[in-house]
């Protein structure tokens, strides 16, 4: 088994655990900002189908058009939008959950992104962030590492209440 497949399996396990938490807060819409190839969205589609829950609207947003085309081919039911995370083409108070995985470490100052997330999130909406933080952190594109304490501090400064913190080596 290659390291790439092992990493994906570990991340898939993490996503299923996160979905168990998300479904307690999510009523109708989950947006994956920085969705890349759409792994979280395709896993979420399977999660809701296998658990036979009511369907939620899934939206993937990424600035990279080519990777969005790949995500579209891997998805059966989701909407994909080519957009910048600093100006999301979504209505105010229209999203129950923003999923933001392995993106925050690419942003020098996430305050404006957090403001944009607040704009689209409903009052009871949740923001789920999974940052990259490991010994190979300093790879091209990573500009700021986030330990648990730094992430909690950054979210607090953004006006978010932290209700759950978990740690994974993915």
């Amino acid at each position: 088994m290659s390291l790439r497949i092992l990493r994906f399996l570990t991340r898939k396990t993490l996503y299923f655990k996160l979905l168990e938490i998300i479904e307690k807060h999510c009523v109708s819409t989950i947006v994956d900002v920085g969705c890349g190839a759409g792994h979280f969205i395709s896993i979420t589609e399977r999660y809701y189908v296998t658990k036979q829950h009511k369907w939620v609207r899934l939206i993937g947003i990424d600035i990279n058009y080519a990777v969005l085309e790949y995500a579209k081919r891997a998805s059966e039911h989701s909407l994909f939008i080519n957009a910048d995370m600093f100006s999301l083409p979504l209505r105010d108070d229209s999203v129950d959950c923003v999923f933001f995985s392995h993106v925050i470490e690419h942003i020098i100052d996430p305050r404006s992104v957090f403001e944009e997330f607040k704009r689209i999130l409903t009052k009871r909406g949740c923001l789920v962030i999974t940052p990259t933080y490991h010994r190979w952190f300093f790879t091209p594109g990573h500009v700021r590492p986030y330990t648990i304490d730094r992430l909690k501090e950054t979210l607090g400064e953004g006006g978010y209440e932290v209700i759950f913190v978990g740690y994974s080596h993915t």
Side-chain angles (χ1 to χ4, degrees):
M1 180 180 296
S2 74
L3 181 58
R4 171 179 258 159
I5 293 170
L6 183 60
R7 274 197 207 136
F8 179 72
L9 290 175
T10 306
R11 189 174 291 180
K12 183 178 178 180
T13 303
L14 171 67
Y15 288 169
F16 272 105
K17 288 180 181 179
L18 288 171
L19 283 166
E20 289 174 3
I21 296 168
I22 291 170
E23 76 177 332
K24 294 175 186 172
H25 301 276
C26 182
V27 177
S28 62
T29 306
I30 299 173
V31 175
D32 183 358
V33 178
C35 69
H39 295 301
F40 175 74
I41 287 181
S42 63
I43 288 168
T44 303
E45 284 180 355
R46 279 184 251 135
Y47 176 84
Y48 278 96
V49 168
T50 58
K51 293 195 93 175
Q52 298 178 340
H53 286 289
K54 65 181 174 76
W55 193 250
V56 296
R57 184 171 173 214
L58 299 169
I59 302 170
I61 296 178
D62 206 291
I63 198 163
N64 184 327
Y65 182 79
V67 81
L68 276 178
E69 287 301 308
Y70 178 83
K72 286 178 189 177
R73 288 192 301 273
S75 171
E76 296 181 33
H77 308 287
S78 302
L79 171 67
F80 292 91
I81 301 170
N82 183 228
D84 187 300
M85 72 180 94
F86 298 96
S87 180
L88 298 169
L90 300 168
R91 291 187 330 266
D92 295 0
D93 303 314
S94 63
V95 172
D96 297 310
C97 177
V98 171
F99 187 76
F100 197 51
S101 182
H102 300 277
V103 180
I104 191 171
E105 62 275 1
H106 296 270
I107 305 169
I108 293 172
D109 184 2
R111 284 182 284 197
S112 59
V113 174
F114 287 165
E115 284 300 314
E116 185 65 0
F117 293 166
K118 272 188 183 175
R119 181 186 69 76
I120 65 169
L121 281 168
T122 60
K123 250 190 196 343
R124 293 184 40 86
C126 66
L127 169 61
V128 177
I129 299 178
T130 63
T132 298
Y133 186 78
H134 51 66
R135 63 182 169 168
W136 303 291
F137 175 79
F138 291 102
T139 57
H142 290 183
V143 296
R144 188 171 186 189
Y146 284 87
T147 61
I148 289 174
D149 289 338
R150 177 180 263 177
L151 184 59
K152 287 168 83 172
E153 179 183 320
T154 303
L155 289 167
E157 289 170 357
Y160 288 88
E161 175 188 359
V162 177
I163 57 171
F164 173 80
V165 175
Y167 191 82
S168 172
H169 292 289
T170 60

